[in-house]
Amino acid sequence: MIRPILRYGAETLHCPAAPVGELNDTVQTLIDDMIDTMYAAPGVGLAAPQVGVGLRLFVADPSSGRSTADLRIVINPELVETVGSQREDEGCLSLPGFTAHVTRPARVVVTGLDREGTPVRVEGEGLLARVLQHEMDHLDGDLFVDRLHGIKRDLIVRRVRKLQRTGKW
Ligand code: NI
């Protein structure tokens, strides 16, 4: 089932998420819904806080559904390794219509659990590395604008506030 995606300004998006406990039916349904919601958007990643659930889990697929083998589900993820640097344009389903160049490590390793509770280790470079870090940020209550500084950040935040004021957000 597709769930509504929260936008910048919604409280859950700006708060650190809590670790996932038991991988019960509620969590399994949440995961299924997050996959449906990500592909429907369409997007390359979605974190639980984006659908209003303050839990540490995300789904990611840099192929955006073209290759099912590319789907990653990571519960209680930890960033264990970062290498190098990349600077690319980045967007977010919670900030529709906005993109900005964000500097991030070029390669990362994330560990966590899959939906059966089995430990997983995801190594990513390029777009996957970017998506993994972007989704990890969501679990700490940060959006890509929070990685920007000064005028670049202010410009986006000001435009969003204007849209909020005029009821277009
Ligand atoms: Ni995002």
Side-chain angles (χ1 to χ4, degrees):
M1 192 183 75
I2 296 167
R3 300 196 189 191
I5 297 174
L6 299 183
R7 293 184 174 194
Y8 184 95
E11 200 185 340
T12 316
L13 282 178
H14 304 281
C15 296
V20 179
E22 195 193 338
L23 299 177
N24 55 23
D25 288 351
T26 308
V27 173
Q28 299 297 338
T29 303
L30 170 65
I31 293 168
D32 288 336
D33 290 354
M34 284 172 60
I35 295 167
D36 291 346
T37 305
M38 172 178 70
Y39 286 147
V44 291
L46 190 73
Q50 292 184 276
V51 291
V53 179
L55 288 176
R56 302 188 75 81
L57 84 96
F58 68 77
V59 297
D61 179 353
S63 84
S64 201
R66 283 188 297 274
S67 157
T68 48
D70 283 336
L71 175 64
R72 272 85 171 187
I73 300 158
V74 191
I75 297 159
N76 296 338
E78 303 277 349
L79 194 60
V80 294
E81 203 179 309
T82 63
V83 181
S85 167
Q86 60 168 312
R87 185 171 165 80
E88 297 290 340
D89 219 20
E90 192 164 316
C92 178
L93 295 173
S94 296
L95 271 162
F98 295 94
T99 59
H101 279 80
V102 183
T103 304
R104 296 190 183 272
R107 185 178 172 278
V108 299
V109 180
V110 171
T111 60
L113 302 175
D114 68 12
R115 63 190 305 173
E116 279 83 42
T118 308
V120 288
R121 179 185 164 92
V122 182
E123 298 185 17
E125 54 186 6
L127 178 61
L128 179 58
R130 173 168 297 279
V131 174
L132 293 171
Q133 295 168 84
H134 177 112
E135 303 314 326
M136 300 278 301
D137 276 358
H138 274 302
L139 306 183
D140 293 328
D142 289 329
L143 278 73
F144 77 83
V145 283
D146 299 309
R147 294 265 174 192
L148 305 176
H149 303 286
I151 194 162
K152 284 185 181 165
R153 182 176 194 280
D154 293 347
L155 196 67
I156 293 178
V157 171
R158 226 180 301 136
R159 285 198 193 142
V160 168
R161 291 217 179 104
K162 192 174 175 189
L163 290 168
Q164 287 168 331
R165 275 199 306 276
T166 52
K168 292 172 186 155
W169 188 245

